[in-house]
Amino acid sequence: MTSTNEDIARRLRRADILLLRAVRRQRARPSMVEKGKFWGSVITDNEVDQLLQNHGEFDEPPSVDELEAALVTSQTVRDDPTGRFADIVRAFDLTGDDADLLLLAMVPEISAGYGRIFSYLHDNLNRTWLTVDLASRILRTHRTERLGLTSRLMRSAPLTKNRLVHLSDSASPEAFSERRVSLSPRLLRWLFDGEELPPSPGFQPLDTSFKPLISIKTQERLDELIGGLREAYTFVLVGANSGAREGVAIAIARASKSPLVRVDLERCQEYLDQPWDLIRELRLAGATPYLINVLEAQEDPAKRNKLQALGSALASLQSPILVGAADRRSVGGLLGAERPSVTIVASKTSFEERQESWDRALDSRGWDTALGDGLAERFYSIGGTTLDRVLERASAEMGGKAPTQETLWAAAREGARPEFRGLAQHIIPQFKWNDLILSEPIKDQLMHLVRYLRHQETIFNDWGASSVRPRGYGIKALFSGPPGTGKTMAAEVIAGELGLDLFRVDLSQVISRWVGETEKNLKEIFDAAEGGVAMILFDEADALFGSRGDVKQAQDRFANQEVSFLLQRLEVFEGCAVLTTNLQENIDEAFLRRFGAVVEFRMPAAVEREKLWRRAIPTGAPVAPDLDLTRLANQFILAGGSIVNAAINGCVFAADENSPVGMDHLVRAVGMELVKMGKQVNRVHFGEFYEQVADL
């Protein structure tokens, strides 16, 4: 079998013969003969002959007839359909002239001696490179033929459009015929290093040797399309999360038997600037592209134009293109109308499918399959390539050993975690049920939420409740009540109980004064939360979910549009969302029907306040004999948050006086808390302690 180096060496002999013919032609011109020994300046005829003989490995300079016969033979070698050079010709549909131009552009990269031959042909010592004019003179003799050859180096020709060769900057004052022709460095590496799809930031070849976890419904859709999976179509993969969509992309690549490469347009700026560089990589490897993060790349108008140019370049591929997105509309700028596009939904997998995949993946690593207990039910969004990533992360956390149950669940939470891109703050749940000091009825309502979330997968998928409520079977809850009564803490307890991530929506990042921007941010939040296993918390939700009113000015109409959008999106949301508000009356009534639970957090009773006081005093704090927490709880009606603040401030007073925490310290702290809330500090409320807070 011929090696790549031997194959290229055989083909380069044609370039040597072409150069020899050009040198003899040039030397035979009368004007050159008149120059005599000054032709080529200090590059002598003998030197050029010796260079050609050495490079071309000629034992003796061939005669005219022998030269023509050698050219015919070398053409056969050039067109040999085997080897990596032939792969280039085939991949880019090059002509024989294109192949000759590639060989001529390649020779100075192989040896600097060719530069002296070029300068000899230019009659200029300083021009040691191939130009458009010189290439046409080497390959053609008649003007008409030379014009035809020059067109093979125009911008729309395969060599230059696919960036196999580069021409010097068109902004220079040189004529087109004087522009330098050089081989793409990437092409040279591909030829001699065998470098296929080199990974770089945002450009990552994907392993297609394994069968990814995708739903039966999605697989049935692929089976319907099996005849077209190798055709020049664009397949838009939507729904679920990024790992599930990537799994579908791998399944398509396996069906079409082609390499797959992930192209992250948020990180691959060079391919937005030079889209034909990407086309060259894909054609060289015969690979299928899987493009992601298209939405982010088209927000900027300048990037949107580049994205459309990339879409036009991709449309030239005679192979499938895969695009991953939350929905089809977000990638419209890339799709264009140059080629047909098909939408494939990455549907959610069933419990049985996930359980089987977890068991198989754990068993293949020699780990106890019991480690996967509960993962299939809780992390229903994990699919595609995410499952293997979870196991790899868990193994890495344990130094390559089998992970513990806790480590595996932590890795699963990480793998299922949605990306809110700064629109929500990740909160790690810290509180437990015994931290909640609430009445039993309220606790029962919260426990029902936990039961709903724990068993919704079984009820809706296994028992078929999805036929009764086909959309929006996720849980949406409203927590209302005065500040400090434990609404946010309750959401944190529920998330911790179920092993969910909790994300608090950052309203400062979501609400925008620009028309339509708020809705776009909200859509991104809901889409991300639906794809991951997480609870989203809209704290102080009045700002978003407030009541619609009469339209008296333009901003009223836009505010009503935002509420209407939220109503529609909340209706079909299949995740877990909790809204908190101080006044339920501020929430639009149309939302109430969409809430699976409405929990009212009342001010704590005296018994609950005493428990809150006892929990709020730090266990290590010294306590004075006069401290009466029962009396404090009975005398001052405060919410849990205010009690915690008062307890901490009371400790500050005590520490400043270097004394145990006493009644006077906490009474002063309570007074400060009441003043902060805008309430009066009078003798009626404080009785015998009034003198301690009179100055407030």
Side-chain angles (χ1 to χ4, degrees), residues 240 326 380 418-420 423-424 475-476 505 510 518-532 534 536-538 544-545 562-579 591 595:
Y380 57 83
E419 295 182 6
F420 290 104
L423 297 174
I475 189 69
K476 284 83 70 174
V505 176
V510 172
T518 300
E519 290 92 326
K520 189 195 76 171
N521 292 336
L522 288 168
K523 178 182 181 300
E524 188 169 340
I525 288 171
F526 280 114
D527 288 347
E530 216 159 34
I536 52 174
L537 174 65
F538 290 90
L544 281 173
F545 298 81
E562 292 173 7
V563 174
S564 298
F565 168 81
L566 279 166
L567 284 168
Q568 297 170 15
R569 192 62 184 85
L570 206 62
E571 178 81 33
V572 298
F573 180 58
E574 295 187 354
C576 177
V578 173
L579 286 67
F591 284 109
F595 291 127

Side-chain angles (χ1 to χ4, degrees), residues 429-479:
Q430 302 286 343
F431 297 109
K432 304 296 182 182
W433 282 108
N434 57 3
D435 294 316
L436 280 176
I437 309 299
L438 299 170
S439 65
E440 289 304 316
I442 295 178
K443 277 193 174 182
D444 288 343
Q445 287 180 282
L446 297 178
M447 283 302 301
H448 182 71
L449 284 178
V450 171
R451 289 190 290 268
Y452 187 107
L453 290 166
R454 182 172 285 150
H455 300 301
Q456 67 173 351
E457 186 74 9
T458 300
I459 296 169
F460 282 92
N461 286 334
D462 297 349
W463 293 3
S466 56
S467 62
V468 180
R469 188 190 292 172
R471 294 185 304 276
Y473 61 78
I475 189 69
K476 284 83 70 174
L478 175 66
F479 293 172

Side-chain angles (χ1 to χ4, degrees), residues 186-206:
R186 171 71 186 106
L187 190 62
L188 198 67
R189 294 197 307 273
W190 186 85
L191 276 169
F192 292 102
D193 289 349
E195 191 178 41
E196 299 279 5
L197 297 172
S200 62
F203 185 86
Q204 184 64 46
L206 298 177

Side-chain angles (χ1 to χ4, degrees), residues 349-515:
T349 55
S350 68
F351 171 78
E352 291 77 11
E353 290 170 329
R354 294 193 298 276
Q355 186 67 61
E356 181 183 349
S357 295
W358 279 112
D359 289 346
R360 185 171 58 249
L362 290 166
D363 186 61
S364 68
R365 288 169 167 78
W367 297 348
D368 184 2
T369 55
L371 286 170
D373 291 347
L375 289 171
E377 183 173 6
R378 172 55 47 215
F379 298 99
Y380 57 83
S381 68
I382 289 182
T385 58
T386 311
L387 191 148
D388 284 313
R389 292 177 188 169
V390 166
L391 296 179
E392 289 169 5
R393 179 181 179 87
S395 178
E397 290 285 349
M398 299 296 294
K401 297 180 296 184
T404 62
Q405 185 99 38
E406 183 180 353
T407 304
L408 187 56
W409 275 66
R413 279 195 297 272
E414 180 72 24
R417 185 167 295 154
E419 295 182 6
F420 290 104
R421 303 183 184 279
L423 297 174
Q425 176 189 4
H426 181 212
I427 298 175
I428 300 175
Q430 302 286 343
F431 297 109
K432 304 296 182 182
W433 282 108
N434 57 3
D435 294 316
L436 280 176
I437 309 299
L438 299 170
S439 65
E440 289 304 316
I442 295 178
K443 277 193 174 182
D444 288 343
Q445 287 180 282
L446 297 178
M447 283 302 301
H448 182 71
L449 284 178
V450 171
R451 289 190 290 268
Y452 187 107
L453 290 166
R454 182 172 285 150
H455 300 301
Q456 67 173 351
E457 186 74 9
T458 300
I459 296 169
F460 282 92
N461 286 334
D462 297 349
W463 293 3
S466 56
S467 62
V468 180
R469 188 190 292 172
R471 294 185 304 276
Y473 61 78
I475 189 69
K476 284 83 70 174
L478 175 66
F479 293 172
S480 65
T485 50
K487 301 183 294 296
T488 303
M489 181 187 289
E492 196 169 327
V493 169
I494 292 173
E497 173 75 11
L498 294 169
L500 299 176
D501 279 322
L502 179 63
F503 287 88
R504 180 166 52 202
V505 176
D506 187 347
L507 297 182
S508 67
Q509 296 296 319
V510 172
I511 299 175
S512 172
R513 62 192 180 97
W514 302 108
V515 176

Side-chain angles (χ1 to χ4, degrees), residues 292-309:
I292 62 172
N293 286 336
V294 178
L295 177 63
E296 289 74 16
Q298 65 180 5
E299 289 181 348
D300 179 10
K303 285 186 177 181
R304 185 160 52 245
N305 293 336
K306 292 180 179 180
L307 192 70
Q308 292 170 350

